[in-house]
Amino acid sequence: MDTQNAAQATKMLSDLALIRSKAPLIHNITNYVAMNPTANALLAVGASPVMAQAIEEVDQMVSISSSLVLNIGTISVSWMESMIKAGEAALIKKIPIIFDPVGAGATDFRTIACNKIIDTCTPSIIRGNASEIMALNDNQTETKGVDSTASSDAALDAAKALALRTKAVVVISGETDYITDGTQVNSIPFGSTMMARVTGMGCTSSAIVGAFAAVNPNMLEAATNAMLIMGIAGQLAAQYSKGNGSLQVNFLDELFNFDDKTIARI
Amino acid sequence: MDTQNAAQATKMLSDLALIRSKAPLIHNITNYVAMNPTANALLAVGASPVMAQAIEEVDQMVSISSSLVLNIGTISVSWMESMIKAGEAALIKKIPIIFDPVGAGATDFRTIACNKIIDTCTPSIIRGNASEIMALNDNQTETKGVDSTASSDAALDAAKALALRTKAVVVISGETDYITDGTQVNSIPFGSTMMARVTGMGCTSSAIVGAFAAVNPNMLEAATNAMLIMGIAGQLAAQYSKGNGSLQVNFLDELFNFDDKTIARI
Amino acid sequence: MDTQNAAQATKMLSDLALIRSKAPLIHNITNYVAMNPTANALLAVGASPVMAQAIEEVDQMVSISSSLVLNIGTISVSWMESMIKAGEAALIKKIPIIFDPVGAGATDFRTIACNKIIDTCTPSIIRGNASEIMALNDNQTETKGVDSTASSDAALDAAKALALRTKAVVVISGETDYITDGTQVNSIPFGSTMMARVTGMGCTSSAIVGAFAAVNPNMLEAATNAMLIMGIAGQLAAQYSKGNGSLQVNFLDELFNFDDKTIARI
């Protein structure tokens, strides 16, 4: 690990210690596919996940939460309304909103949903794969379903432009992860291509970003630290996983035990 | 294992044999996060799970089921209506209703939902963590999301009062599990703190209670036996699990193979 | 492996190579329980899963997909409408529709849903367990929940009749899997009884059928190849799995690494 990544890792461990001591409540309105692994990943790092989407309670659930994660993976009109209501409550409470635009660009419905969430909730952090970030930036249909067809490098300019326009920190997951506020760009060289073969791994990243944003008010730092722990845990777990089944399990175990000795193994 | 627990374990194995021979159908109306591990846990002990929530079919599904498990983890108004309809059908058919008040006290919506289910469905067994049982008892908001902030010991008086008021057997999951009908109190000293780091483990307990209640008409015994197998399987699995990822897997395997040799390992 | 199965396995590996090179988008409108393992299984074989059920977007999602998998495991009226709309779009686009009639016969609601999907979507392939296929054929309530109470052998005549009536290839999962177009019958002798103890394994079969149907225009061949890879991967994984927890994981790993060396191990 180079000097810069090592310095970042030290900061990350400090945030991780805060997550473990505070056990912040992370309110997720997310998709059916990723709910279970997302909740387990949050528990693995020491956060306390809650999944709740009824429009009658989302504002009250936000009122006791430390961050809000919105994910449109299996979006419907009624869930959209709950996300907007939760987002408005989070804005008033001034807790971070993390937005995961799953499948942005794949359908007009998703594009419209993304724009509405960005406009009304003004998320603190937007995390997607390259295709999604590029689609969000130019509002054109470029994605194929929910898996990226572009490299993260190709999406970096789009990420910067999106960050400047929305005032959100933008994260691109990929072979290299990029985290930018539109001017500064952090990059994370860790991870494994096998991670893209575990469903909901991107969604899990967004939830972990939510955990770090709950304890670190600097959104660029929080998102960077979250992607760093994801990348290191995923890369190490992939080294001894036979397939995507065992990777899903081993990845959680790595998060669960993550400490300075984990970093020394990279 | 002391004499009392050993005697209980013998009774539990007898119920487990019945579950495996009868494969009772357990009808679950539960939350999105826990559906998959809950179904796998029921299959692991030999029961036959069905998840069905459409209001058009819940009464007919109840008519072929041996117990009904209601869980409000990701409750909405329409799912609430289905739970009530299913509960009313279960009352007519006289099959046990197990109620899991996930996040009771976290929002008014959940508190109202809990009271409505208790009033209209009169569940045979209520299982929650300490915070949830305390919130159910005094109708005050005390919980932080869905994870308990109180110890099971602290909730025992609340559990007794709740049991006397609702005529349900009340189960508190925690470091020690308590099972009470308001007068008699059984306690289970097994388990592992790691279990709380696997999402849906409490929901799984409620489903396993449903399986035992399907074959044992004594609700106090059924709930005690269910918590006993949960505690032993979880404690043993935790001993060789590296984190919450592998615990989720190993726990199911322990349930799958559970027999007298399993008990000898505790 | 006998000569016929060996010849089939060679054809299957050829389809598998196509799936891995093309990564076809498989659009699933499926149940909450099976979404996560289904998506992971599709990723394991190299396909790209998308789960999307909003009526506003299903037709557009179909327009970029290579096959459509409809599964009524946790069906509701609104999801039913989305399935019909997606099915109609798939018919126009002429992509294969795979239908999984989970719990057919358990309730009138499911029987009506099945008939409506068969009538309006005219699926290319119908895959169910023996009870479900028999219930579909004679429209009588014979199932107990979602687990089969009949052997696949007993359902073969029903499968043939259903295939002739609906012009769909019909697949019965069981100890022996049967795949028929009403005249020709292929059988797969692989698999393990442990597979029925992993929730959503049948649903996963249907999704894998969707992946093979996306690359092979011969529906009888596609369905046969899908059941062959399911049976071999499941049988091999069961040999070293301690319970249904580890089988779920090991099964995915087998799919992930599946090649001619996998076949040599059977």
Side-chain angles (χ1 to χ4, degrees), chain A residues 20 22-25 32 35-37 39-41 43-54 56-57 60-61 64 79 240 248-250 252-254 256-257, chain B residues 32-37 72-77 103 106-110 141 143-147 194 196-200 241-249:
Chain A
R20 286 175 179 160
K22 291 185 173 178
L25 187 67
Y32 304 119
M35 279 194 191
N36 186 280
N40 271 329
L43 287 166
V45 294
S48 180
V50 69
M51 275 66 183
Q53 83 294 339
E56 292 82 4
E57 71 170 351
Q60 204 176 354
M61 199 62 91
I64 56 170
W79 283 57
Y240 59 93
Q248 187 171 33
V249 173
N250 295 331
L252 288 174
D253 284 358
E254 289 289 347
F256 189 89
N257 294 298
Chain B
Y32 304 119
V33 189
M35 279 193 191
N36 186 279
I72 62 161
T74 50
I75 190 73
S76 63
V77 168
T107 66
D108 296 337
F109 184 62
R110 285 177 191 244
T141 302
T143 54
K144 191 203 72 171
V146 297
D147 295 320
M194 266 181 80
R197 304 282 292 275
V198 176
T199 195
S241 295
K242 286 188 297 181
N244 60 344
S246 47
L247 178 54
Q248 187 171 33
V249 173

Side-chain angles (χ1 to χ4, degrees), chain B residues 148-190:
Chain B
S148 186
T149 52
S151 77
S152 52
D153 291 353
L156 186 51
D157 285 343
K160 285 183 193 169
L162 183 64
L164 290 174
R165 174 163 68 84
T166 62
K167 301 192 186 357
V169 165
V170 175
V171 179
I172 319 168
S173 300
E175 197 165 331
T176 300
D177 301 322
Y178 293 106
I179 305 98
T180 182
D181 58 8
T183 50
Q184 192 178 337
V185 178
N186 293 339
S187 64
I188 306 286
F190 306 113

Side-chain angles (χ1 to χ4, degrees), chain A:
Chain A
M1 192 179 283
D2 65 22
T3 320
Q4 196 182 342
N5 282 315
Q8 193 70 46
T10 304
K11 290 184 198 174
M12 182 264 279
L13 286 177
S14 167
D15 280 3
L16 182 60
L18 278 177
I19 294 171
R20 286 175 179 160
S21 64
K22 291 185 173 178
L25 187 67
I26 313 301
H27 182 185
N28 300 270
I29 308 181
T30 185
N31 69 74
Y32 304 119
V33 188
M35 279 194 191
N36 186 280
T38 293
N40 271 329
L42 286 170
L43 287 166
V45 294
S48 180
V50 69
M51 275 66 183
Q53 83 294 339
I55 198 155
E56 292 82 4
E57 71 170 351
V58 286
D59 51 349
Q60 204 176 354
M61 199 62 91
V62 162
S63 76
I64 56 170
S65 299
S66 298
S67 67
L68 172 68
V69 181
L70 304 177
N71 176 308
I72 62 162
T74 50
I75 191 73
S76 63
V77 168
S78 66
W79 283 57
M80 187 67 198
E81 289 168 358
S82 291
M83 287 190 196
I84 299 293
K85 189 174 179 194
E88 289 172 343
L91 281 179
I92 291 170
K93 203 198 162 192
K94 296 189 194 308
I95 61 170
I97 300 172
I98 292 82
F99 175 46
D100 189 330
V102 181
T107 66
D108 296 338
F109 184 61
R110 286 176 191 242
T111 302
I112 292 166
C114 288
N115 288 335
K116 190 156 184 198
I117 286 176
I118 290 175
D119 289 348
T120 61
C121 303
T122 56
S124 312
I125 302 173
I126 301 170
R127 192 220 59 86
N129 62 35
S131 294
E132 289 159 352
I133 297 301
M134 290 166 80
L136 274 194
N137 189 50
D138 63 10
N139 279 329
Q140 294 185 3
T141 303
E142 303 199 9
T143 54
K144 191 203 74 171
V146 297
D147 296 320
S148 186
T149 52
S151 76
S152 52
D153 291 353
L156 185 51
D157 285 343
K160 285 183 193 171
L162 184 64
L164 290 175
R165 175 163 68 84
T166 62
K167 300 192 185 359
V169 165
V170 174
V171 180
I172 319 167
S173 300
E175 197 165 331
T176 301
D177 301 321
Y178 292 105
I179 306 99
T180 182
D181 58 7
T183 50
Q184 193 177 337
V185 178
N186 293 339
S187 64
I188 306 285
F190 306 113
S192 161
T193 54
M194 267 181 79
M195 293 171 77
R197 305 282 290 275
V198 176
T199 195
M201 194 54 98
C203 309
T204 297
S205 296
S206 298
I208 297 296
V209 168
F212 279 81
V215 299
N216 188 334
N218 181 326
M219 293 297 110
L220 188 69
E221 284 289 314
T224 302
N225 289 343
M227 297 314 291
L228 184 60
I229 194 172
M230 287 291 303
I232 294 175
Q235 179 172 324
L236 290 172
Q239 286 170 3
Y240 59 93
S241 295
K242 286 188 296 181
N244 60 344
S246 47
L247 179 54
Q248 187 171 33
V249 173
N250 295 331
F251 170 73
L252 288 174
D253 284 358
E254 289 289 347
L255 286 184
F256 189 89
N257 294 298
F258 206 99
D259 61 13
D260 52 357
K261 287 187 287 294
T262 310
I263 293 169
R265 286 163 51 216
I266 204 84

